[in-house]
Amino acid sequence: MQHLEFQLQGPYVELNQLLKLVGLCDSGGAGKAIVADGHVKVDGKQELRKTCKITAGQTVALGDVRIRVLAE
């Protein structure tokens, strides 16, 4: 299992953009497709909202990759 950390630059980041920014997909559009296909979990629950606002303290999972979101 791979663990990543993402440092927020504002109050939140949209889920599809987070996937792009950490390098799990090539674009925000590809991130939206991954979310829409039901492959992403936020805090252990499946998330289907492509532009869900992710804030500090949340954990996003895609496959065996876990992303912990940290405050600025």
Side-chain angles (χ1 to χ4, degrees):
M1 181 175 299
Q2 183 179 3
H3 294 276
L4 303 173
E5 291 186 345
F6 178 79
Q7 191 80 32
L8 277 177
Q9 300 299 313
Y12 68 89
V13 63
E14 291 180 351
L15 181 54
N16 64 311
Q17 292 297 317
L18 174 65
L19 298 177
K20 179 181 88 169
L21 291 169
V22 298
L24 294 179
C25 62
D26 294 331
S27 68
K32 285 182 180 182
I34 292 169
V35 175
D37 288 341
H39 298 296
V40 180
K41 291 185 178 182
V42 175
D43 294 333
K45 296 179 183 171
Q46 185 181 42
E47 181 58 72
L48 298 173
R49 296 175 295 160
K50 302 174 219 38
T51 57
C52 169
K53 293 177 177 153
I54 304 299
T55 58
Q58 290 189 292
T59 301
V60 175
L62 173 60
D64 65 346
V65 178
R66 302 286 179 271
I67 307 160
R68 198 169 68 138
V69 180
L70 307 173
E72 40 181 336

